[in-house]
Amino acid sequence: MSKQKQSAPGTVQMPARRAFLKAGAAAGGAIAAGAVPGLASATGNPENQAPNVADWSHYLGDGVDAHPYGMPSEHEAHVVRRNVEWLTADTQSSINFTPLHELDGIITPNGLCFERHHGGAAEVDPADYQLMINGLVDKPMIFTMDDLKRFPRVNRIYFLECAANSGMEWRGAQLNGCQFTHGMVHCVMYTGVPLKYILEEAGLKTNAKWLMPEGGDAAGMNRSVPIEKALDDCMIAFKMNGEALRREQGYPARLVVPGWEGNMWVKWIRRIEVGDEPWHAREETSKYTDLLENGKARRFTWEMDCKSVITNPSPQAPLMVKGHNIISGLAWSGRGTVERVDVTLDGGKNWRTARIDGPVLPKALTRFYFEFEWNGEGLLLQSRAIDSTGYIQPTKDELRVARGTNSIYHNNGIQTWHVQASGEVENVEVS
Ligand code: MTE
Ligand code: CO
């Protein structure tokens, strides 16, 4: 087992794990007579706890005018997106990460979806918004938001994963928290117009083979998208989880490219040019390619390979008590559905099938659980997902044999968490 220490200054903010553990241990010793055996007792103010009547039961609560737009409880203030300060030079061209260890089910709340901007989050007035279609079409067209909303629309749940998710982990275990190692993924229900309808409206010429969607942000981000994908399941989305897209996610409209790398999901989309060959733009030549050991680069690696991660326990979410515990995690595949997830407690010697719960949808996050008894011994936790094509999530060593160590993108290797006797969890690798 080897662990590479974080090389840059430790600016990642972490909860005070030792304090948590102490509180847990104290509570463990203070189970009241008659308490249900096997359940941990509460840790807060005993005056508010049974059999007493809690403080909040004695007075009227907030009126309905207190929160015109509802916010999470103040006790959940630690559940936020976080960035790793040393990763990028500024916060406009930066990344923050989804707090996966705080979430459950498969839907990411809008305010917690990770953000990746190459030129900051553009502020677009929907009244001025336009989407232009030009190039190899019968009639170049410009659509307003109102125009887009008059097309037949669909609702689809998809994950979006940045190609660079887990990119810092190619050469060894580095970041301590699944928020940072795996938090460049989110999964929401999009409402929008199938791109096919918009292209049909403009009329594709017979030599139309590629699209170049372009963002309205300062980065003007663009990518080449093959026409088959555009006509298959791409969408122009204007809603996420039922409400308007958040500004950070491309308000008022973004491209949805299901199962494919996040970089192609152009936000604040302002133009789609139709052409007969790819553009070989910056984001598909110098970036978002994988330099192999032999000097050649993998290019146009669009589909996100099947991947999984245990979100709890993990470095930001230690094991609190011995006895009955639950391992929970997420699995996904850009090629279809998650067929099965296996979990190991001993670094891959013995694998057991996890329990999948909730919807199992193509190109969406899938939730799994594994219930177990923890006797306080060290554990090496891993999960391994298998998708509907039969593809099995590889180990990190297998990935390195295939692709070397120059890569940043497309790291879907198996993650290992070392649970120590104290309950604290560390990012490690086993070989
Ligand atoms: N679109 C524009 N216009 N500008 C951008 O910087 N970033 C891309 C993509 N679309 C980007 C963009 C990248 S690299 C990713 S991973 C996803 O948006 C992130 O989407 P999110 O911020 O909604 O999580
Ligand atoms: Co990205």
Side-chain angles (χ1 to χ4, degrees):
M1 188 172 68
S2 68
K3 171 168 165 58
Q4 184 184 314
K5 281 274 169 237
Q6 206 166 287
S7 49
T11 44
V12 176
Q13 285 188 358
M14 300 289 219
R17 285 182 286 150
R18 283 187 191 283
F20 272 174
L21 290 165
K22 263 193 172 160
I31 293 178
V36 186
L39 296 185
S41 67
T43 50
N45 177 0
E47 284 178 22
N48 281 330
Q49 295 167 11
N52 298 330
V53 175
D55 181 43
W56 49 82
S57 302
H58 292 296
Y59 49 85
L60 293 173
D62 279 350
V64 291
D65 50 353
H67 309 285
Y69 191 95
M71 299 297 283
S73 156
E74 64 192 47
H75 302 286
E76 301 296 317
H78 58 286
V79 182
V80 289
R81 302 183 280 218
R82 293 175 199 275
N83 65 342
V84 175
E85 283 173 32
W86 53 264
L87 213 51
T88 49
D90 53 49
T91 55
Q92 275 91 30
S93 167
S94 195
I95 306 156
N96 61 25
F97 299 87
T98 309
L100 297 177
H101 61 293
E102 297 284 1
L103 304 179
D104 218 317
I106 65 164
I107 297 293
T108 315
N110 287 345
L112 295 175
C113 287
F114 84 92
E115 301 169 59
R116 171 70 176 109
H117 314 306
H118 296 241
E123 186 173 6
V124 179
D125 184 338
D128 295 339
Y129 175 83
Q130 293 185 326
L131 173 63
M132 174 171 151
I133 314 282
N134 69 324
L136 298 177
V137 289
D138 297 332
K139 29 174 196 168
M141 296 190 78
I142 292 176
F143 300 99
T144 63
M145 266 331 279
D146 285 343
D147 294 335
L148 291 179
K149 287 182 177 170
R150 285 187 292 124
F151 279 94
R153 71 185 80 133
V154 296
N155 297 293
R156 299 280 185 275
I157 297 176
Y158 292 124
F159 77 80
L160 181 168
E161 184 182 18
C162 179
N165 199 21
S166 316
M168 300 308 293
E169 307 291 308
W170 258 107
R171 292 177 191 180
Q174 168 132 263
L175 295 168
N176 247 330
C178 72
Q179 178 164 18
F180 308 109
T181 55
H182 289 75
M184 273 200 271
V185 67
H186 53 63
C187 183
V188 306
M189 179 184 276
Y190 294 98
T191 305
V193 185
L195 185 53
K196 178 170 69 177
Y197 298 160
I198 295 170
L199 295 173
E200 279 166 2
E201 193 70 20
L204 290 174
K205 295 221 187 275
T206 49
N207 55 342
K209 293 279 181 287
W210 290 81
L211 304 185
M212 193 200 61
E214 178 187 76
D217 52 338
M221 228 205 61
N222 61 10
R223 282 295 301 260
S224 303
V225 179
I227 199 79
E228 296 78 16
K229 179 67 176 174
L231 296 175
D232 178 17
D233 56 3
C234 288
M235 296 164 66
I236 300 290
F238 41 80
K239 298 240 153 105
M240 57 195 285
N241 292 333
E243 63 179 2
L245 290 184
R246 291 291 167 90
R247 175 178 166 184
E248 308 91 287
Q249 266 68 46
Y251 179 85
R254 89 175 301 166
L255 184 63
V256 168
V257 192
W260 288 23
E261 59 186 13
N263 186 252
M264 306 176 86
W265 298 49
V266 173
K267 301 192 273 192
W268 314 285
I269 186 166
R270 74 171 165 211
R271 189 169 73 94
I272 298 176
E273 188 174 336
V274 183
D276 57 359
E277 54 186 2
W279 276 260
H280 304 291
R282 174 184 182 272
E283 303 283 314
E284 53 210 19
T285 51
S286 112
K287 304 290 177 216
Y288 299 93
T289 57
D290 306 318
L291 183 59
L292 302 175
E293 294 286 278
N294 64 7
K296 292 197 172 175
R298 294 167 81 227
R299 296 192 54 212
F300 294 137
T301 44
W302 302 305
E303 276 171 323
M304 297 309 289
D305 290 319
C306 182
K307 184 167 173 178
S308 69
V309 65
I310 291 174
T311 55
N312 303 78
S314 60
Q316 297 155 289
L319 271 186
M320 302 297 279
V321 289
K322 287 185 193 166
H324 192 71
N325 272 284
I326 297 177
I327 290 170
S328 174
L330 291 165
W332 60 96
S333 167
R335 294 202 175 81
T337 52
V338 171
E339 191 74 18
R340 201 180 85 205
V341 181
D342 297 328
V343 165
T344 175
L345 309 185
D346 54 17
K349 292 190 193 106
N350 298 288
W351 290 95
R352 275 166 289 176
T353 306
R355 179 172 66 86
I356 288 177
D357 191 74
V360 178
L361 300 168
K363 305 171 188 179
L365 293 185
T366 301
R367 174 63 62 178
F368 67 87
Y369 299 101
F370 184 80
E371 286 85 14
F372 76 109
E373 299 294 319
W374 185 47
N375 62 10
E377 282 176 5
L379 305 172
L380 288 170
L381 301 182
Q382 300 177 330
S383 63
R384 173 179 72 187
I386 300 161
D387 74 11
S388 47
T389 70
Y391 175 97
I392 303 172
Q393 184 183 2
T395 64
K396 290 215 247 168
D397 282 343
E398 284 167 345
L399 271 185
R400 290 185 192 116
V401 168
R403 298 206 214 130
T405 51
N406 294 324
S407 288
I408 300 170
Y409 307 110
H410 301 283
N411 177 2
N412 67 322
I414 290 174
Q415 171 67 43
T416 313
W417 302 127
H418 178 206
V419 179
Q420 299 165 17
S422 64
E424 287 180 282
V425 183
E426 256 198 308
N427 180 7
V428 299
E429 280 197 28
V430 287
S431 47

